[in-house]
Amino acid sequence: MVTYRHPLLRGVAIWLLATSPAVADEALLEEATQAQRAQAEWQARIDAADDEARERLQALRELEAEARRLEVHNAELAPQLERREEALARRQAALDSLANTRAALPSLTEGLEARLAQWVEHDLPFLLEERRARVASLEDPALPEAERLERLLAAWRAELDYGRELDTWRGYLIRDETRREVDYLRLGRIGLYYLTPDGRGGGVWLADEHRWRALDDEERSEVRKGVRIARDQRAPELLELPVSQPLTPTEEERS
């Protein structure tokens, strides 16, 4: 059997055999390059996803910490808010009753003024000019209501302070139409005494009898000690003196 082969076909076959390995290698190289690119892209995506996940996790932790801080802060604020609500409620109640208070204030002020004047006149007779002037200053009709109330409260505070003081001063005593200078000693509101400058005369005020009773030598010596104590010329000590106020309360005081 005779096989006929064309010379051109034989050349093509020889060229294909010579070039096929190179073409295959180049194709494989291109596929490997593309695979590496794809892997790099996927790795970049994974890395980006990891970074985003970490950022979100950190943000979540910060939000949780802030939430805990807010819970603690709210727990601390709760008692304060309750107190403020109570204060606002009291203030609102005061505002609601303000109209009634304003309406009642003039009569209340007048009552306190009358009681103050009566108190001064029936109290131990010390510093009467000063105390009566304080009461008289409240009777000015041109005085604004707020200032009148302020003066009235200041006058009552001054009267209450007298009950806690040990005081001495030099003044004048009028007895039997005779005016002479004496040293007064006051022990709060329980004792009022006087002593003449030469120390030979002295007396204690008897509130229930509205008169002065003479002191004996021993009592005058105690008054002298009291005057020196009040002037910070002697250390405080117990004084044995008769009292001006009755020891037994009256019916009015008991009521």
Side-chain angles (χ1 to χ4, degrees), residues 144-244:
E145 194 65 33
E147 186 175 352
R148 183 191 305 276
L149 180 60
E150 184 178 352
R151 288 190 185 184
L152 178 60
L153 295 177
W156 271 107
R157 283 194 292 268
E159 289 295 327
L160 294 175
D161 288 340
Y162 287 140
R164 298 186 288 265
E165 295 176 346
L166 172 65
D167 193 17
T168 184
W169 69 96
R170 178 156 291 191
Y172 290 97
L173 174 69
I174 300 177
R175 292 190 65 186
D176 301 328
E177 299 181 356
T178 302
R179 185 172 181 265
R180 55 179 173 173
E181 193 176 46
V182 298
D183 289 319
Y184 285 100
L185 175 68
R186 179 175 58 82
L187 305 178
R189 279 194 164 84
I190 63 172
L192 179 62
Y193 315 91
Y194 77 86
L195 199 64
T196 58
D198 59 9
R200 297 180 179 178
V204 54
W205 178 257
L206 301 180
D208 54 345
E209 300 179 18
H210 298 282
R211 67 178 183 88
W212 292 98
R213 177 181 72 77
L215 297 173
D216 58 28
D217 292 342
E218 185 176 351
E219 291 169 340
R220 289 197 301 272
S221 176
E222 290 294 303
V223 172
R224 276 193 293 271
K225 287 194 296 186
V227 170
R228 295 186 64 189
I229 292 172
R231 291 175 178 170
D232 294 329
Q233 298 174 348
R234 186 186 180 107
E237 62 178 284
L238 181 65
L239 299 175
E240 296 183 5
L241 285 168
V243 295
S244 297

Side-chain angles (χ1 to χ4, degrees), residues 65-75:
E66 182 64 21
R68 287 193 294 271
R69 285 195 295 270
L70 289 175
E71 289 178 358
V72 174
H73 186 58
N74 289 336

Side-chain angles (χ1 to χ4, degrees), residues 12 15-16 18 44 50 88 110 122 129 136 138 160 182 199 222 229:
V12 170
W15 178 81
L16 286 174
D50 288 344
L88 288 174
E110 292 176 2
H122 290 82
E129 293 183 2
L138 302 172
L160 294 175
V182 298
E222 290 294 303
I229 292 172

